[in-house]
Amino acid sequence: MTHQKAPTAQRFPEIDADTAYRLIIGGELVPAEGGATFRCVDPYDDVEWGYVAEASAGDVDRAVRSAHEAFPGWRDAHPRVRCQILSRWGELIAANLDRIARLQVHENGKTIAENKMALGGAAFFADLFSRLGMTLHGLAIPNVTPTIESWTRREPLGVVAAITPWNNPLSLLASKLFPALAAGNTVVIKPSEVTPVSTLELVKLGLEAGLPAGVVNVVTGAGATGAALVDHPGVAKVAFTGSTATGRRIAQSLAPRFVKYSLELGGKGPNLVFDDANLDRAIPGLIVGMTAGAGQACNAGSRILIQAPVYDEVIEKLMTALGKLRIGDPLDPETDLGPIASRLQYSRVSSYLDIAAQEGHTRLSGGRLGADLVSGSKGLFVEPTLYQASHARSRLMQEEIFGPVAGAIRFETEDEAVELANGVDYGLVAGFWTQSLSRGHRLVPRLDAGTVWVNTWRMFSAFVPFGGFKNSGVGHEYGLDAVEQYTRTKATFLDFA
Ligand code: ADP
């Protein structure tokens, strides 16, 4: 493990740490009622910055009402008009990519390269879904009687609540926001309290692109603000990405009102290496699975399952590769792992190092924590930490850690591999490395995961649906039908006799 030295100069000279960031309601920047605010904390140098409005239930109500008022105009606008605004918005995101990517680094400490890639994706989503919005259509259905015509219409739902997490705030927002708007819905966004500012800046670009007032509103705040939005009777759908615990709470509050929801929740991805794998490709895939975003990813490959004949070789190569990773300032393009995004998450991740010790797993690499890992920083760093797991039913191997911590375990047969891979409550992603085409085809249907990667990891496409099985969620995002996920189907019979 190489540890970068912290730069001493002020890292974000372009950002005034005293800036007041307001809510966006009805096209205006407004303070929260009563003037409540909270602060962002940079996880690299532990400095507080910005004063962000903390929305109350009253503010949420104002935002939902504003979205309601804007709905008929946006719904009835010509799809070409929506397309023009959204694609202009995408251009503005691309033009402001560096500025917003740096803001995101200031918020969540993810590396600048990752944040830039995510924003490039958001710009593309704006453009793609603006166009797909023009392709929505119903069906004309021939009927049993000669004088009755019947057809279906795809209608927008109304006000969509988009509740987003801190690990990938803008690409996970883009996957909800742009399909919802392209279908003619209006939106109220509740970004994570860890990453509120980048979302506000993104939506300001939307206003600049010509979004009518009230079509997109942002209420910043923590869980209570999110809960007020979920409980608001004016919300027609909740699109949520976050923890399984919060997703379950949201589903429980929406169930009595039958409000639609899509939930993209946690994961505990198995990354399997078979004895015929090309290890030159598999090892980087295992590293990405374990350490991308410092492991703060629902699609992490935190369970490394290795077939017995190659177990020792894979572990040795993995440890060599882990040893070359650079942990440091996320603004430095050479950095592989930045800090953990928040003190709360840092304490969660650290607690799993204690749990792993109590459960008796053997630590193979890493295990050190804290600011001392990068001289001059005050960062919440966790070294990538790999264990040889003593048993698969342990908390280390069952629970989502959301940090650069993984357990390795040995298997003999393909059946055993499948049993281990599926032996968790989650079912978001799974991957395996093999050179056997028939094993590839044989295994995909047997794995309980919404996305299966064969000889790759963390591959996404806006054209391919992404969503979890089991406790990893309900519904999917991305894909060519993403816009339809924000519509309702109306059937019509017309008797022209
Ligand atoms: P984490 O604990 O890792 O931050 P959460 O699932 O709690 O993950 O957070 C994801 C998003 O859900 C954030 O925007 C958060 O503020 C929001 N949130 C938290 N609690 C609730 C709740 N009860 N209802 C609605 N949203 C919530």
Side-chain angles (χ1 to χ4, degrees):
M1 175 71 38
T2 321
H3 301 133
Q4 317 266 86
K5 196 168 158 27
T8 46
Q10 203 219 335
R11 294 165 66 244
F12 296 93
E14 76 276 25
I15 298 168
D16 179 350
D18 289 333
T19 308
Y21 295 96
R22 309 224 150 133
L23 311 174
I24 300 180
I25 299 180
E28 305 284 334
L29 306 184
V30 294
E33 59 179 19
T37 59
F38 62 99
R39 306 213 70 187
C40 297
V41 183
D42 185 310
Y44 177 79
D45 44 23
D46 200 28
V47 292
E48 289 194 335
W49 62 279
Y51 290 88
V52 184
E54 178 151 24
S56 64
D59 295 315
V60 168
D61 182 52
R62 275 196 292 158
V64 176
R65 281 173 194 279
S66 153
H68 257 283
E69 278 164 29
F71 176 57
W74 186 249
R75 175 193 61 198
D76 298 338
H78 194 288
R80 193 184 61 238
V81 171
R82 291 198 293 260
C83 173
Q84 280 165 346
I85 294 171
L86 297 184
S87 61
R88 204 175 307 139
W89 192 354
E91 285 164 17
L92 287 175
I93 295 171
N96 285 272
L97 195 138
D98 285 342
R99 178 175 68 85
I100 300 184
R102 281 176 61 81
L103 263 176
Q104 249 191 77
V105 173
H106 207 13
E107 290 177 321
N108 71 3
K110 267 185 110 167
T111 63
I112 186 79
E114 281 187 89
N115 282 335
K116 279 188 184 173
M117 199 160 59
L119 268 164
F124 175 58
F125 269 54
D127 191 49
L128 172 70
F129 290 112
S130 73
R131 283 153 218 282
L132 290 180
M134 292 191 291
T135 67
L136 273 180
H137 58 269
L139 286 175
I141 303 166
N143 230 303
V144 281
T145 85
T147 66
I148 291 182
E149 293 261 346
S150 92
W151 69 91
T152 63
R153 290 164 46 81
R154 287 254 175 214
E155 299 179 342
L157 300 166
V159 177
V160 170
I163 301 180
T164 51
W166 46 261
N167 65 326
N168 219 334
L170 296 187
S171 60
L172 295 172
L173 172 62
S175 60
K176 302 167 178 52
L177 178 65
F178 296 119
L181 291 173
N185 301 278
T186 56
V187 180
V188 179
I189 304 165
K190 209 301 281 175
S192 164
E193 56 275 33
V194 178
T195 51
V197 174
S198 49
T199 295
L200 289 166
E201 292 301 307
L202 187 105
V203 172
K204 283 185 203 164
L205 296 177
L207 297 177
E208 201 178 317
L211 269 183
V215 169
V216 179
N217 306 273
V218 186
V219 285
T220 46
T225 307
L229 184 57
V230 168
D231 289 341
H232 197 289
V235 167
K237 172 168 177 170
V238 175
F240 170 82
T241 299
S243 64
T244 294
T246 303
R248 184 172 286 120
R249 210 169 301 134
I250 290 174
Q252 279 165 346
S253 3
L254 297 176
R257 289 181 284 135
F258 304 109
V259 173
K260 290 183 198 313
Y261 52 80
S262 56
L263 306 172
E264 204 267 87
L265 308 175
K268 189 73 184 173
N271 205 346
L272 288 77
V273 186
F274 285 94
D275 61 5
D276 65 340
N278 175 344
L279 295 189
D280 291 339
R281 293 185 55 192
I283 300 297
L286 297 178
I287 294 287
V288 166
M290 183 177 159
T291 64
Q296 302 164 105
C298 54
N299 50 56
S302 49
R303 292 183 298 139
I304 297 175
L305 314 180
I306 308 166
Q307 200 161 25
V310 289
Y311 184 87
D312 292 338
E313 186 184 356
V314 170
I315 292 292
E316 195 191 313
K317 289 190 160 153
L318 200 48
M319 282 165 52
T320 305
L322 286 171
K324 289 185 183 151
L325 293 177
R326 284 155 305 192
I327 187 164
D329 185 348
L331 279 180
D332 182 340
E334 300 292 307
T335 294
D336 296 303
L337 278 92
I340 299 297
S342 69
R343 199 156 279 288
L344 175 65
Q345 186 57 24
Y346 177 74
S347 68
R348 283 181 192 152
V349 177
S350 346
S351 76
Y352 275 96
L353 302 190
D354 298 334
I355 290 167
Q358 285 153 19
E359 289 185 331
H361 308 288
T362 308
R363 198 176 69 224
L364 300 173
S365 76
R368 287 186 301 161
L369 311 153
D372 291 350
L373 286 175
V374 178
S375 62
S377 91
K378 293 188 185 152
L380 310 169
F381 290 102
V382 176
E383 253 184 342
T385 304
L386 178 67
Y387 293 93
Q388 180 165 296
S390 55
H391 50 298
R393 303 300 310 171
S394 56
R395 291 186 66 189
L396 172 74
M397 298 302 274
Q398 292 288 320
E399 297 178 10
E400 184 177 49
I401 299 173
F402 227 67
V405 180
I409 212 157
R410 190 188 307 253
F411 68 85
E412 303 283 343
T413 64
E414 206 171 284
D415 283 346
E416 195 190 339
V418 169
E419 200 179 313
L420 280 168
N422 292 342
V424 291
D425 291 335
Y426 293 106
L428 191 62
V429 299
F432 60 95
W433 303 83
T434 181
Q435 295 196 68
S436 158
L437 187 62
S438 46
R439 175 163 21 230
H441 282 285
R442 211 166 44 233
L443 232 56
V444 170
R446 297 185 69 194
L447 291 171
D448 267 341
T451 295
V452 178
W453 289 306
V454 187
N455 293 333
T456 184
W457 190 274
R458 218 168 186 241
M459 179 62 72
F460 294 100
S461 160
F463 309 111
V464 180
F466 180 75
F469 297 167
K470 304 200 287 193
N471 283 358
S472 292
V474 176
H476 66 264
E477 298 192 314
Y478 305 12
L480 291 176
D481 66 345
V483 179
E484 288 176 14
Q485 307 297 314
Y486 292 91
T487 64
R488 59 186 189 184
T489 300
K490 179 175 285 171
T492 317
F493 292 85
L494 187 151
D495 188 340
F496 55 87

